[in-house]
Amino acid sequence: MSKALVIGSTVCDVMVYLDRLPSREGDAHIHEQTWSLGGCAFNVVSVLHALGQKADFISPVGTGVYGDFVRAELEKLGIQSPISVAGANGCCYCFIESDGERTFLSDHGVEYGFQKEWLQSLEQKRYDFIYLCGLEVEELTGMELIQSVSKLEGQVIFAPGPRGLLIPKDRLEAIYDLHPILHLNEAEAKAFSACEEIADAAKKLYQRTGQLVIVTLGENGALAYDGKFYEVAGFPTKVLDTVGAGDSHLGAFLAASLQGLDMEDALSFANRLASKVVATKGVHVERHHYHTLQQELNQLVQSKRS
């Protein structure tokens, strides 16, 4: 059966909702504060889990109040027991303004580190996809992570994220040498390629990796390039909170691809799920939405097979 490997962090997202972030030395009242599971890798695997797709999850969890929260919430969701490591787990402070835009302040703990022993038992397995996030690659153990992944069998899909340009150049080049699928938003694609036009950016990145490049375009959907262009419309909606939208899009694309859907159908399904996420406070849409989306995915698969 098709299967993905997801490697990366699970954190406590401290969600803070307010009208607008104050300027320096400013002051503001907030509307609401909640705690939620987050982290790019967790956001991806939670979509796969909710849609009934098989995935191995390599995600270390530390100690302290945030580590206890993460461990308990993962158990409630029925996601595999995390790797326990010594040292405090961090958190991410997510400030969401009234237009839905978010600002992050991250306190990285042991959840972003990596040990090669975690993947050694997986070297005999074959995965359809292996997910990597730029945040883990940026850490001191990033090169060790890349080298360990290079020993595994499966198509790497890499999401560099907004801090991707802070990754040391030798690590980026090492990832590119793995010929990964790249998953970026519009701003990231332009920054990584040094191109002003999205089409040019996708082409330039493809020339380096020789593999599919996916660029999310918000309400305008997504563009992909693998030697030819795919443009797939989005599902406009009222934006409440953009936290985790890109991660959820990637997770949905993987879920659809694991089920054998073609490029355009997989991207359309991912666009649909992302539209649900941005219309919801936090990363996690309500259970009934996942149920509906899973039914839609199953129907798409059946229609393609008939």
Side-chain angles (χ1 to χ4, degrees):
M1 187 177 193
S2 298
K3 194 173 190 179
L5 172 63
V6 179
I7 306 169
S9 62
T10 306
V11 303
C12 173
D13 280 346
V14 181
M15 311 290 288
V16 181
Y17 295 89
L18 72 171
D19 287 331
R20 187 174 180 83
L21 280 170
S23 59
R24 185 180 181 187
E25 298 183 357
D27 193 352
H29 290 289
I30 68 172
H31 299 303
E32 182 183 1
Q33 174 180 291
T34 61
W35 284 22
S36 176
L37 279 186
C40 297
F42 168 76
N43 294 340
V44 170
V45 87
S46 67
V47 169
L48 292 171
H49 180 74
L51 294 174
Q53 303 304 302
K54 286 189 172 293
D56 286 339
F57 189 35
I58 302 298
S59 185
V61 178
T63 59
V65 62
Y66 298 126
D68 292 344
F69 174 81
V70 166
R71 189 172 289 103
E73 292 299 307
L74 284 174
E75 289 178 1
K76 287 180 186 177
L77 290 171
I79 293 177
Q80 70 170 54
S81 299
I83 297 167
S84 294
V85 292
N89 212 90
C91 71
C92 181
Y93 299 96
C94 310
F95 298 92
I96 299 94
E97 298 179 74
S98 58
D99 64 354
E101 195 50 80
R102 89 293 185 276
T103 301
F104 294 153
L105 290 176
S106 298
D107 176 17
H108 281 200
V110 296
E111 72 276 11
Y112 284 94
F114 174 76
Q115 297 175 29
K116 62 182 180 182
E117 292 80 11
W118 298 341
L119 296 187
Q120 286 176 343
S121 65
L122 305 180
E123 290 179 6
Q124 303 306 313
K125 291 189 177 184
R126 186 198 178 282
Y127 294 96
D128 293 85
F129 297 99
I130 301 171
Y131 166 85
L132 283 179
C133 171
L135 291 174
E136 282 75 31
V137 174
E138 183 187 344
E139 293 289 315
L140 292 176
T141 54
M143 185 58 86
E144 187 174 10
L145 171 59
I146 297 167
Q147 292 169 345
S148 295
V149 167
S150 72
K151 299 175 183 177
L152 303 178
E153 185 177 356
Q155 173 61 61
V156 174
I157 182 164
F158 178 56
R163 291 177 56 87
L165 290 180
L166 297 177
I167 297 171
K169 185 173 176 57
D170 62 331
R171 296 183 204 172
L172 272 181
E173 293 300 324
I175 285 185
Y176 290 157
D177 287 343
L178 299 178
H179 305 292
I181 294 172
L182 294 180
H183 189 280
L184 320 91
N185 65 27
E186 187 172 359
E188 292 161 3
K190 289 179 178 179
F192 267 81
S193 64
C195 295
E196 289 300 318
E197 299 296 328
I198 285 299
D200 294 336
K203 281 185 176 181
K204 185 173 180 180
L205 292 169
Y206 173 78
Q207 287 170 359
R208 176 60 183 89
T209 64
Q211 188 51 267
L212 175 69
V213 177
I214 299 171
V215 183
T216 58
L217 304 172
E219 67 176 13
N220 294 319
L223 174 147
Y225 183 76
D226 64 356
K228 69 175 182 177
F229 281 104
Y230 306 84
E231 295 183 59
V232 181
F235 296 83
T237 188
K238 182 180 179 181
V239 177
L240 292 182
D241 180 346
T242 60
V243 174
D247 304 329
S248 299
H249 187 278
L250 193 160
F253 175 79
L254 287 182
S257 298
L258 287 168
Q259 290 282 39
L261 293 188
D262 62 25
M263 178 75 64
E264 292 177 326
D265 285 337
L267 285 175
S268 181
F269 180 75
N271 291 347
R272 181 163 177 75
L273 190 146
S275 74
K276 297 289 186 185
V277 171
V278 298
T280 304
K281 281 189 174 182
V283 176
H284 315 293
V285 301
E286 294 181 17
R287 184 69 223 178
H288 72 273
H289 286 312
Y290 278 126
H291 180 69
T292 300
L293 286 163
Q294 187 171 12
Q295 288 182 320
E296 291 179 7
L297 180 57
N298 292 338
Q299 289 170 0
L300 276 170
V301 172
Q302 291 301 320
S303 67
K304 294 296 180 182
R305 291 174 179 171
S306 61

